[in-house]
Amino acid sequence: MRSKLVKILVSILAVILLGSCDNKHQRAVRSPEFVFFYAENQDKDYPTTLGGYKFSELVEERSKGRIKIIVQPDSTLGCEKEVMEQLQFGGIDFARISLSTLAESVPQFHVLQMPYLYTSSEHMWKVLDGEIGDNFMKSLEGSNMVALSWYDAGARNFYNSVRPIHSLEDMKGLKIRVQESTLMVHMVEALGAKAVPLVYSDVYSGLQRGTIDGAENNWPSYESTNHYKVAKYYTIDEHTRVPELQLCAQATWNKLSAEDREMIQACAKESALYERTLWIEREKQSKERLSQSKVEVIELLPEEKARFQQAVKKVYEIYCADYMDMINAIIVEGR
Ligand code: GCU
């Protein structure tokens, strides 16, 4: 009887011990080795955010759950300028950032977003996917950030609540919100308007309260932020194509093995291709949605566009005097 009792007790203990080992084992498999945060300033349905989710999914899948990347949309981790500062000291692990913001810290990136530089989206992608784009990515070395992949952000156009812009004269005196970028301030002032640098998330209330008359952005941003509801004149001049980069903090990169880095870079590139297809789709949808609204779309006539292009020439002198070879190489790619 006694030996039977001992046997039962031993079995119970064995089950408990095995169970706990098994739990530990399962926990070891399931709980990630790294949990990283990824900053995004657009909403959860926006193409760049969906690209970020895809990136996170791919990394989780390929690392078999070892690396988890939590994408935080809607500027929850801060505005782009703050995010970039945090990236530089490792406070945020990953982000998708507009080059306008990046160039404030790494000035050579102004080159890739100069006004009227690209003749089309194809032209820009030829540059970014080629040697010039690769060299720019590498040029981030020493900035405490690592470039992972290029994201699309289309072409930017002017919009305002005061009057339709058909000519350079119509720009005169308008208070136009720009990104927190000295290049964009100079560009808008060269066109005769008054530039007001402002955080992206404050543009809607600025338009509503009349502290600014207008802003400039691509179709999906104009539509997704509801700016069109408070600034109905949208003039297509495609003054800039400002590409974006997916970035990793150098401090985070340093924690990863060579294999993980390679895998993460590949996932970023794959997510970027996905984002590009979503971008094309979303541009169409935004145009379609806006055609059902009160928005008045104005196409600049070619001779007027030529005047806009002429007016911004001085901005090239300020920002690109040392980079004219690069500018010329980019222009050649568009021929
Ligand atoms: C685009 C870009 C954002 C940026 C915004 C802006 O929408 O995708 O990253 O913040 O322009 O105008 O500030």
Side-chain angles (χ1 to χ4, degrees):
M1 178 66 193
R2 200 160 162 245
S3 77
K4 206 173 173 193
L5 197 64
V6 169
K7 264 189 202 153
I8 290 172
L9 281 175
V10 167
S11 326
I12 291 173
L13 206 62
V15 167
I16 292 172
L17 279 175
L18 275 177
S20 88
C21 287
D22 202 38
N23 275 345
K24 257 190 225 144
H25 178 69
Q26 281 174 7
R27 246 183 279 131
V29 169
R30 266 198 241 116
S31 66
E33 182 182 341
F34 296 108
V35 177
F36 294 132
F37 286 89
Y38 178 114
E40 168 59 64
N41 75 345
Q42 304 285 4
D43 68 37
K44 63 177 182 27
D45 301 318
Y46 199 84
T48 55
T49 315
L50 297 174
Y53 289 139
K54 172 61 108 194
F55 170 57
S56 151
E57 249 170 63
L58 290 171
V59 170
E60 190 158 353
E61 198 180 287
R62 292 197 190 151
S63 69
K64 304 204 172 28
R66 214 167 33 76
I67 305 178
K68 194 168 176 61
I69 299 177
I70 301 175
V71 178
Q72 303 266 274
D74 287 319
S75 302
T76 35
L77 296 180
C79 69
E80 280 199 333
K81 201 171 153 208
E82 291 159 350
V83 165
M84 202 183 57
E85 284 160 11
Q86 296 260 4
L87 268 179
Q88 283 169 299
F89 65 82
I92 290 175
D93 304 295
F94 294 92
R96 189 279 311 157
I97 298 268
S98 166
L99 279 206
S100 295
T101 310
L102 184 70
E104 290 300 293
S105 279
V106 200
Q108 71 267 24
F109 277 83
H110 285 131
V111 169
L112 291 178
Q113 50 176 322
M114 291 306 289
Y116 307 106
L117 175 62
Y118 305 105
T119 50
S120 63
S121 164
E122 292 71 29
H123 179 193
M124 183 189 78
W125 284 116
K126 197 167 161 210
V127 170
L128 298 180
D129 287 338
E131 206 186 322
I132 300 178
D134 288 350
N135 289 340
F136 266 98
M137 279 206 181
K138 286 188 203 124
S139 78
L140 265 192
E141 267 169 36
S143 71
N144 283 332
M145 293 176 284
V146 178
L148 301 177
S149 72
W150 300 105
Y151 266 35
D152 201 355
R156 296 174 77 104
N157 299 303
F158 289 107
Y159 52 92
N160 79 96
S161 60
V162 179
R163 55 178 172 256
I165 298 167
H166 293 284
S167 68
L168 207 49
E169 286 66 33
D170 293 328
M171 291 288 287
K172 206 159 177 55
L174 287 179
K175 283 177 273 155
I176 301 288
R177 175 271 173 173
V178 289
Q179 290 175 275
E180 293 174 287
S181 147
T182 51
L183 166 63
M184 296 309 160
V185 169
H186 278 111
M187 178 191 70
V188 162
E189 306 223 312
L191 294 171
K194 176 158 181 11
V196 184
L198 198 65
V199 172
Y200 187 46
S201 52
D202 289 346
V203 180
Y204 182 88
S205 61
L207 288 167
Q208 206 179 30
R209 282 193 271 114
T211 52
I212 49 174
D213 299 317
E216 47 81 58
N217 221 319
N218 53 54
W219 287 94
S221 295
Y222 179 51
E223 181 256 321
S224 67
T225 51
N226 287 328
H227 293 175
Y228 73 94
K229 292 189 179 158
V230 278
K232 69 169 192 167
Y233 301 111
Y234 193 78
T235 294
I236 304 175
D237 75 313
E238 304 202 331
H239 51 272
T240 47
R241 287 185 181 272
V242 182
E244 317 199 317
L245 269 175
Q246 262 189 324
L247 297 166
C248 179
Q250 185 71 54
T252 303
W253 200 242
N254 293 347
K255 293 180 197 160
L256 298 164
S257 66
E259 296 76 49
D260 282 344
R261 289 179 188 177
E262 203 180 309
M263 179 271 290
I264 285 178
Q265 187 95 53
C267 294
K269 294 223 149 104
E270 246 177 88
S271 80
L273 292 180
Y274 175 69
E275 190 267 350
R276 279 193 223 176
T277 61
L278 293 181
W279 185 267
I280 296 168
E281 221 18 67
R282 178 61 185 257
E283 248 184 7
K284 275 196 217 131
Q285 276 172 13
S286 296
K287 287 182 193 171
E288 175 57 30
R289 280 178 203 162
L290 294 175
S291 71
Q292 319 286 324
S293 74
K294 296 203 174 105
V295 167
E296 195 179 309
V297 178
I298 301 107
E299 288 258 10
L300 264 197
L301 292 176
E303 57 270 30
E304 259 319 306
K305 187 157 169 175
R307 292 181 69 212
F308 276 57
Q309 285 166 328
Q310 185 59 33
V312 298
K313 283 242 164 86
K314 53 184 165 215
V315 184
Y316 277 75
E317 284 156 29
I318 305 174
Y319 288 89
C320 298
D322 294 340
Y323 303 112
M324 277 324 282
D325 287 355
M326 234 182 265
I327 292 285
N328 289 330
I330 293 175
I331 292 171
V332 166
E333 294 285 332
R335 287 187 187 139

